């Protein structure tokens, strides 16, 4: 029998060849380790224009998310905020610099309808996202993007520890404006009881209860059902609002403790089988068993306290409960509970004002590790709940949540939250306390509450920033920079040792051109342009979009290797959302750029 010849194998390397291969592999590994990468996480993918072509499938991110990415790209783990809600940036310290082009007047619809015009955004930018911006509700895009609050969860909450009602009303207004884009909230009247400046804190509260209300992005992050357009609208199509119309919440808006019990049904899901509602005096306003629309397959008695015997002859339906809740709650009601997202899903209802004890109390120091209600009640109330063998009691749980919130309101916004009580916040607290003694006017105090994004960069890394815009837009940036200790200089006077460069342009084209010329000299660049109504008119829109395409191309060309480029479309008031385009410049982009230049020469 003839043997098949042995398969040819590659000869093993040895000697100088092996040494050279190892050297190349080390160089390649070193090169890869120096490349920053931006990757979308679940929340980012939900906002992606590429992954979700259909508008109904998208869940937009917020402008604060972009701010958190910029902060992290400059400061890494020393940043006051992290972008981990929606993206992951690897090798942040290898990002050479950041260039942000803000274009006011364009929306996500402008991009979707004119993708062929936006060749640079389509080809060069890896991530394209739908964005909720302040422009859609008449707010300030500059303040939300460039102004960084000191606290972990709410703007200006440090000053509220000192009982500043004016400051509380101002911060509450920001929250309401954003909530109003999602829920039907009636605007406060200039006079009368709805005016927040006239509302005095209840004697039992040391700060405003509105400071504890979850923001829209927190509602999404905590998986609360909200009537947002896009993918969420489809998901919650059969959910109902707790009211047809709401009014602005205030420091005296009533709180209602709510807790539900659920059982598993033939759908494989949990369905409502009991609901309890208590008021601030712990009176039980509503406590009823509920007959689910599908047959119960598992009573989950050890958790729910529900048994087959209890459910005999129960006729109350989910629809009955929804009608009762809608009639019970006033239009500025604040719902209080532990992980209320599960209860709201069981109720198939949506509500704008929520205080979640699993968010405002934290014993782990990690915002994403929740502390159980049973432990919170034991630690802070010295009460034992959920200790019965026959399951939980929804009235007991709703009362415990209410008491926890009232306890926190009687102390401070830091009480019971180890995430907020870290050294940086303690330092900030001391600074504000000293400042409060020195300042006579509230107006002076409020300037200490936040700091410009440029301040964080300079103080932490001694790097410089630049802003390029016309005089109208620059005036708004100046208000944010006004009370900072930064060395701010106009373009021609900027020298070594200065912190922020200001270039006041006569036109949008001039702002972009100057940014392209000096962007590599600064770690953070904000080029902010504004389109006029005429430029956005049907007659001029094609020419305008071609100009935008040229601006993006110019800035991309003059961005350094591993530079982070961010283009923001502001969105349209009471109309379409904004958009954000992100990419980190790679070596392949440099090579492609060189080929383009060679072909033109």
């Amino acid at each position: 029998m003839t043997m098949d010849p042995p398969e040819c194998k590659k000869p093993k390397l040895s000697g100088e060849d092996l040494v050279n291969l190892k050297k190349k592999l080390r160089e390649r590994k070193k090169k890869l380790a120096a490349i920053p990468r931006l990757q979308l996480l679940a929340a980012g993918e939900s906002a992606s224009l590429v992954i979700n072509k259909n508008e109904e499938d998208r869940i937009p991110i917020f402008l604060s998310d972009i701010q958190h990415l910029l902060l992290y790209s400059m400061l890494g783990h020393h940043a006051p905020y992290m972008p981990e809600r929606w993206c992951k940036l690897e090798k942040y310290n290898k990002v050479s610099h950041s260039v942000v082009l803000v274009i006011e007047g364009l929306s996500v619809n402008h991009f979707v309808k004119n993708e062929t015009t936006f060749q640079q955004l389509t080809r060069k930018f890896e991530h394209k996202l739908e964005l909720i911006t302040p422009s859609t509700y008449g707010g300030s895009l500059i303040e939300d993007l460039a102004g960084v609050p000191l606290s972990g969860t709410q703007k200006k909450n440090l000053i509220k520890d000192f009982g500043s009602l004016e400051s509380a009303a101002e911060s509450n207004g920001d929250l309401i404006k954003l909530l109003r884009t999602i829920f039907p909230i009636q605007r406060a009247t200039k006079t009368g009881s709805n005016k927040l400046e006239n509302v005095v804190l209840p004697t039992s509260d040391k700060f405003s209860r509105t400071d504890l209300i979850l923001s829209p992005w927190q509602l999404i992050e905590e998986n609360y059902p909200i009537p947002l357009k896009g993918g969420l609208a489809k998901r919650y199509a059969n959910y109902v609002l707790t009211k047809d119309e709401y009014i602005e919440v205030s420091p005296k808006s009533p709180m209602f403790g709510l807790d539900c019990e659920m059982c598993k049904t033939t759908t494989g899901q949990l369905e409502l089988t009991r609901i309890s509602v208590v008021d601030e005096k712990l009176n039980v306003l509503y406590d009823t068993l509920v007959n689910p629309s599908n047959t119960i397959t598992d009573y989950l008695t050890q958790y729910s306290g529900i048994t087959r015997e209890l459910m005999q002859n129960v006729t109350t339906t989910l629809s009955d409960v929804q009608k009762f809740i809608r009639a019970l709650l006033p239009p500025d009601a604040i719902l209080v509970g532990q992980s209320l997202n599960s209860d709201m899903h069981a109720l198939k209802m949506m509500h704008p004002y929520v205080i979640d004890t699993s968010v405002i109390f934290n014993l782990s120091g990690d915002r994403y590790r929740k502390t159980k209600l049973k432990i919170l009640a034991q630690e802070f109330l010295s009460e034992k709940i959920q200790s019965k063998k026959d399951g939980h009691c929804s009235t007991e749980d709703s009362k415990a949540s209410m008491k926890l919130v009232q306890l926190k309101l009687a102390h401070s916004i830091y009480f019971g939250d180890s995430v907020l009580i870290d050294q940086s916040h303690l330092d900030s607290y001391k600074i504000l306390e000293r400042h409060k003694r020195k300042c006579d006017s509230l107006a002076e105090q409020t300037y200490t509450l936040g700091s410009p994004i440029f301040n964080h960069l300079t103080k932490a890394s001694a790097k410089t920033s630049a802003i390029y815009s016309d005089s109208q837009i620059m005036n708004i940036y100046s208000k944010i920079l006004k009370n900072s200790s930064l060395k701010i200089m106009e373009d021609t006077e900027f020298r070594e040792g200065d912190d922020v460069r200001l270039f006041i342009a006569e036109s949008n084209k001039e702002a972009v051109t100057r940014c392209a010329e000096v962007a590599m000299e600064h770690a953070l660049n904000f080029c902010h342009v504004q389109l006029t109504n005429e430029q956005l008119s049907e007659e001029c829109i094609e020419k305008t979009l071609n100009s935008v395409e040229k601006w993006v191309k110019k800035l991309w060309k003059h961005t350094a290797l591993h530079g982070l480029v961010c283009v923001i479309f502001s969105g349209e008031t009471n109309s379409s959302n904004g958009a954000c385009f992100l990419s980190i410049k790679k070596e392949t982009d440099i090579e492609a750029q060189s080929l383009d230049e060679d072909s033109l020469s």
Side-chain angles (χ1 to χ4, degrees):
M1 183 176 71
T2 58
M3 299 288 290
D4 292 330
E7 293 182 10
C8 294
K9 293 184 178 179
K10 291 182 180 179
K12 291 183 178 180
L13 294 177
S14 60
E16 189 176 344
D17 290 337
L18 181 60
V19 171
N20 289 334
L21 177 60
K22 287 182 176 179
K23 183 181 177 181
K24 286 180 180 179
L25 289 173
R26 280 196 301 271
E27 289 174 352
R28 184 170 181 271
K29 186 177 180 181
K30 186 177 179 181
K31 197 173 183 180
L32 289 172
I35 299 175
R37 291 181 179 83
L38 181 62
Q39 175 188 347
L40 296 182
L41 301 179
E45 290 179 345
S46 295
S48 172
L49 301 173
V50 177
I51 297 172
N52 302 295
K53 294 280 187 181
N54 191 337
E55 180 186 359
E56 295 181 354
D57 297 327
R58 291 196 296 271
I59 303 173
I61 60 171
F62 294 89
L63 194 61
S64 57
D65 289 318
I66 303 302
Q67 184 195 77
H68 298 171
L69 171 62
L70 292 173
L71 285 165
Y72 184 74
S73 71
M74 298 184 294
L75 306 175
H77 300 296
H78 297 291
Y81 295 87
M82 302 292 169
E84 56 195 15
R85 186 187 85 82
W86 68 282
C87 73
K88 180 181 180 181
L89 177 61
E90 297 178 2
K91 310 294 180 186
Y92 76 88
N93 57 328
K94 301 299 181 181
V95 174
S96 55
H97 65 153
S98 296
V99 179
V100 182
L101 173 62
V102 180
I103 305 173
E104 294 208 38
L106 294 185
S107 69
V108 65
N109 284 346
H110 283 107
F111 175 76
V112 172
K113 293 176 181 177
N114 301 277
E115 278 195 58
T116 53
T117 302
F118 294 117
Q119 291 294 310
Q120 292 294 311
L121 294 177
T122 303
R123 295 177 181 176
K124 301 290 174 62
F125 286 74
E126 185 178 5
H127 304 298
K128 307 167 185 67
L129 310 163
E130 185 169 347
L131 186 69
I132 292 180
T133 71
S135 298
T136 59
Y137 56 86
S140 171
L141 186 148
I142 295 171
E143 287 179 11
D144 278 30
L145 184 61
V148 182
L150 292 176
S151 68
T153 54
Q154 293 288 334
K155 287 181 179 180
K156 305 179 183 178
N157 61 22
L158 291 176
I159 199 70
K160 295 168 203 164
D161 283 342
F162 305 111
S164 166
L165 300 183
E166 293 86 348
S167 173
E170 185 181 341
S171 179
N172 178 60
D174 294 338
L175 176 67
I176 295 298
K177 278 189 283 187
L178 194 48
L179 280 169
R180 192 182 286 122
T181 66
I182 301 170
F183 289 91
I185 299 174
Q186 180 185 340
R187 292 181 182 274
T189 55
K190 292 183 179 179
T191 58
S193 60
N194 255 6
K195 192 174 181 183
L196 297 181
E197 290 88 336
N198 296 332
V199 180
V200 180
L201 285 174
T203 55
S204 58
D205 297 356
K206 293 288 181 63
F207 63 98
S208 176
R209 58 190 57 182
T210 61
D211 300 346
L212 300 177
I213 292 175
L214 297 183
S215 67
W217 73 263
Q218 284 177 309
L219 289 172
I220 293 175
E221 188 175 43
E222 300 292 336
N223 192 32
Y224 277 82
I226 64 173
L228 198 62
K229 294 177 182 178
L232 292 182
K234 188 187 298 182
R235 190 184 304 172
Y236 307 136
N238 63 337
Y239 284 47
V240 299
L241 292 169
T242 51
K243 304 295 287 187
D244 290 329
E245 190 173 60
Y246 303 90
I247 62 173
E248 292 191 10
V249 73
S250 79
K252 277 198 170 180
S253 291
M255 299 187 297
F256 296 84
L258 186 148
D259 189 73
C260 296
E261 303 298 345
M262 288 80 83
C263 296
K264 189 176 287 187
T265 68
T266 50
T267 62
Q269 304 297 318
L270 297 176
E271 290 193 50
L272 181 70
T273 48
R274 184 184 177 185
I275 176 174
S276 299
V277 181
V278 301
D279 63 15
E280 292 184 49
K281 293 182 179 179
L282 306 181
N283 297 316
V284 179
L285 304 179
Y286 190 44
D287 183 27
T288 185
L289 294 167
V290 185
N291 184 27
S293 54
N294 297 286
T295 305
I296 296 175
T297 57
D298 189 344
Y299 288 87
L300 301 172
T301 305
Q302 68 272 33
Y303 304 111
S304 68
I306 304 296
T307 62
R308 184 186 299 273
E309 292 71 31
L310 277 176
M311 296 304 293
Q312 295 295 323
N313 304 318
V314 174
T315 58
T316 302
T317 65
L318 175 62
S319 178
D320 295 330
V321 173
Q322 290 174 339
K323 288 175 184 175
F324 188 92
I325 293 295
R326 281 171 58 84
L328 172 69
L329 297 180
D332 63 337
I334 301 172
L335 292 182
V336 168
Q338 173 84 1
S339 298
L340 266 179
N341 54 317
S342 300
D343 304 270
M344 300 310 290
H345 282 295
L347 287 167
K348 294 191 182 298
M349 300 188 83
M350 297 179 280
H351 189 78
Y353 309 131
V354 174
I355 297 177
D356 191 330
T357 49
S358 75
V359 175
I360 66 171
F361 282 89
N362 188 290
L363 299 179
S364 67
D366 181 349
R367 181 59 75 204
Y368 297 95
R369 286 174 58 199
K370 302 296 179 67
T371 306
K372 293 181 179 179
L373 182 62
K374 180 178 181 178
I375 296 173
L376 293 177
Q378 184 176 323
E379 291 293 325
F380 295 101
L381 304 175
S382 298
E383 293 183 6
K384 288 188 176 182
I385 64 170
Q386 302 177 355
S387 56
K388 298 176 184 177
K389 293 182 180 179
D390 53 356
H392 298 182
C393 172
S394 52
T395 56
E396 182 181 59
D397 289 357
S398 57
K399 287 180 180 180
S401 295
M402 179 63 74
K403 284 190 274 189
L404 283 167
V405 172
Q406 290 172 332
L407 184 65
K408 189 176 182 89
L409 287 170
H411 288 79
S412 78
I413 201 160
Y414 305 108
F415 182 81
D417 192 341
S418 59
V419 176
L420 287 186
I421 305 175
D422 58 21
Q423 189 58 46
S424 63
H425 285 89
L426 289 175
D427 289 344
S428 298
Y429 189 94
K430 292 171 186 175
I431 291 168
L432 279 172
E433 195 173 31
R434 288 198 301 270
H435 189 73
K436 181 175 182 285
R437 289 195 294 267
K438 292 178 182 178
C439 292
D440 295 322
S441 71
L442 172 69
E444 289 176 323
Q445 292 179 38
T446 56
Y447 281 121
T448 68
L449 296 175
S451 57
I453 191 170
F454 318 103
N455 193 67
H456 287 268
L457 175 64
T458 301
K459 298 301 180 186
S461 57
K463 294 180 180 177
T464 61
S465 309
I467 308 169
Y468 320 82
S469 66
D470 63 25
S471 57
Q472 183 183 1
I473 294 174
M474 194 66 80
N475 282 338
I476 305 174
Y477 279 101
S478 297
K479 290 177 183 177
I480 295 175
L481 292 165
K482 184 178 178 182
N483 282 61
S484 72
S485 58
L486 297 169
K487 294 179 182 177
I488 304 164
M489 285 291 170
E490 291 189 6
D491 181 49
T492 54
E493 301 297 322
F494 189 84
R495 299 288 184 271
E496 186 177 348
D498 295 331
D499 300 321
V500 182
R501 178 185 221 138
L502 303 183
F503 178 74
I504 302 175
E506 296 293 327
S507 66
N508 291 336
K509 181 180 179 181
E510 188 180 18
V512 173
T513 300
R514 186 55 178 157
C515 179
E517 290 171 350
V518 299
M520 291 190 195
E521 298 176 20
H522 303 287
L524 177 63
N525 298 269
F526 272 28
C527 183
H528 197 133
V529 301
Q530 189 167 235
L531 301 176
T532 64
N533 290 334
E534 183 183 354
Q535 289 173 313
L536 295 168
S537 65
E538 279 189 42
E539 298 80 14
C540 301
I541 190 65
E542 185 178 349
K543 180 181 177 182
T544 300
L545 297 184
N546 283 326
S547 294
V548 171
E549 167 72 3
K550 291 176 183 176
W551 298 341
V552 174
K553 185 175 183 179
K554 179 172 283 190
L555 290 179
W556 180 260
K557 179 181 177 181
H558 291 88
T559 297
L561 178 66
H562 299 162
L564 171 64
V565 184
C566 172
V567 178
I568 294 173
F569 286 5
S570 71
E572 299 171 278
T573 305
N574 299 322
S575 182
S576 178
N577 281 332
C580 178
F581 308 89
L582 292 159
S583 201
I584 294 175
K585 197 167 185 179
K586 303 181 287 290
E587 279 192 6
T588 51
D589 296 316
I590 302 286
E591 292 165 3
Q593 190 172 294
S594 299
L595 288 173
D596 288 342
E597 290 172 354
D598 291 341
S599 64
L600 291 172
S601 60

